[in-house]
Amino acid sequence: MNAKRRNLFIFLGSALLGWPSLAAGDRKSPATAPTRSTVTPRHVLCFLGGKDGLAVLRKTAQTAIRQFGEGFSIDESYSMDTEDDRMELSFAVCWDRVAESAFSEADERAVLEHRSVLYVLGPPMMAEKTIAISATALRFVQFMLDGGALAAKGESAGVAHGIDRWKELADQAHDATISNDSLALASICRLAFARRPIGDPTAGQSMETVGFHLVGLPDMVIDEVKLANPKIYTNGDQIEIADFIDAIATRMTEYGVGETIARDRHSLSDDERYEDDSYKFNPFGVITIKSVSL
């Protein structure tokens, strides 16, 4: 572990002092945030198929809805039986670049070669239902990929993984469900459907998350990230910021949003980044963190 990464974990460890740890075998329900809006979040899932593939995508989705996807529905307005030339750029922007080997050249090629698109809408979610419904959405993605979909993207945060990564997350979610580990399930769903971190600190931009509303949590904005070299932002830096964000998200899930922000002295406000009719709008608010040094 390099010195920068070690220093960050020392910081995170000190921040966690005084927090109780879950004993082996404990089964604690994940915490969610009180809503600050009448808006309820929902999943929008995008699936790509091959030539004349819309009928196959639609049939697979209908089977998933019938078997386990109550409340999910096919969006006929934007689904199409032809290629969408916006997909190459859209996936390029949305690929998960934090998890190791989250996508491959084969996944990128599949996006280029798609010839059909299907959108699926999840049901509106109250906070206490977000994790269960997000787990169903992850199962839905796996079912579609097993049924022949070439690629998948979560539109409610703009995040895409490669086929292997989607299936890995779905398998982890299945294992967490079987073992009744709801805290792990909440974390897996967050990693599947939220993006973090977004922004470029070398350009003076804040670093943000999008999609935490899909597991009933506020998003985060870090006003300033102080890099070791202010002119260079590396993938390693990105991973360290993601680790920092994930540590706070884990504490919120285990101990609650109010207690977490009180102990860490962060602030919580309404999400003014998006209009409230945007699928990215977070009705649980945004936590602002003034500064983080790497």
Side-chain angles (χ1 to χ4, degrees), residues 278-290:
S278 167
Y279 288 120
K280 293 181 173 65
F281 173 77
N282 193 324
F284 308 111
V286 175
I287 290 175
T288 299
I289 300 162
K290 292 299 182 183

Side-chain angles (χ1 to χ4, degrees), residues 250-261:
T250 297
R251 297 207 296 276
M252 287 195 294
T253 300
E254 292 193 19
Y255 308 111
V257 174
E259 187 169 350
T260 298
I261 61 177

Side-chain angles (χ1 to χ4, degrees), residues 4 200-204 224-233 237:
K4 283 176 61 183
D200 182 358
T202 64
E224 180 186 24
V225 173
K226 297 178 180 178
L227 301 171
N229 184 334
K231 297 181 179 180
I232 300 176
Y233 177 48
D237 294 329

Side-chain angles (χ1 to χ4, degrees), residues 80-149:
M80 59 183 73
D81 206 15
T82 184
E83 71 272 17
D84 184 336
D85 57 13
R86 299 170 299 177
M87 287 298 166
E88 179 183 2
L89 177 59
S90 179
F91 271 78
V93 170
C94 294
W95 289 123
D96 177 8
R97 300 183 186 277
V98 176
E100 185 177 356
S101 302
F103 65 99
S104 66
E105 290 183 3
D107 293 307
E108 293 178 293
R109 188 166 57 252
V111 172
L112 287 173
E113 296 174 353
H114 85 279
R115 294 296 181 269
S116 52
V117 184
L118 180 81
Y119 289 96
V120 171
L121 305 176
M125 302 183 292
M126 302 301 290
E128 64 273 14
K129 297 292 186 180
T130 52
I131 295 167
I133 294 176
S134 289
T136 300
L138 188 50
R139 183 181 177 188
F140 207 114
V141 172
Q142 183 181 40
F143 192 90
M144 293 295 295
L145 295 173
D146 286 343

Side-chain angles (χ1 to χ4, degrees), residues 30-88:
T32 54
T35 187
R36 305 170 67 90
S37 168
T38 58
V39 174
T40 49
R42 68 188 308 185
H43 283 276
V44 181
L45 305 174
C46 172
F47 301 102
L48 304 185
K51 182 176 173 57
D52 301 321
L54 183 58
V56 175
L57 291 174
R58 185 185 288 115
K59 183 177 180 179
T60 305
Q62 289 170 338
T63 301
I65 291 168
R66 185 171 61 254
Q67 290 186 1
F68 60 84
E70 182 180 359
F72 284 74
S73 61
I74 294 171
D75 182 86
E76 300 288 359
S77 299
Y78 296 98
S79 299
M80 59 183 73
D81 206 15
T82 184
E83 71 272 17
D84 184 336
D85 57 13
R86 299 170 299 177
M87 287 298 166
E88 179 183 2

Side-chain angles (χ1 to χ4, degrees), residues 170-226:
D171 288 343
Q172 291 173 0
H174 176 265
D175 292 344
T177 301
I178 293 299
S179 61
N180 196 29
D181 191 341
S182 57
L183 292 175
L185 183 62
S187 176
I188 294 160
C189 289
R190 176 171 48 80
L191 294 178
F193 291 114
R195 283 188 68 200
R196 82 274 185 249
I198 303 169
D200 182 358
T202 64
Q205 298 174 0
S206 61
M207 303 299 292
E208 304 183 4
T209 70
V210 178
F212 280 22
H213 59 309
L214 301 173
V215 289
L217 296 177
D219 275 297
M220 297 184 210
V221 173
I222 305 173
D223 282 342
E224 180 186 24
V225 173
K226 297 178 180 178

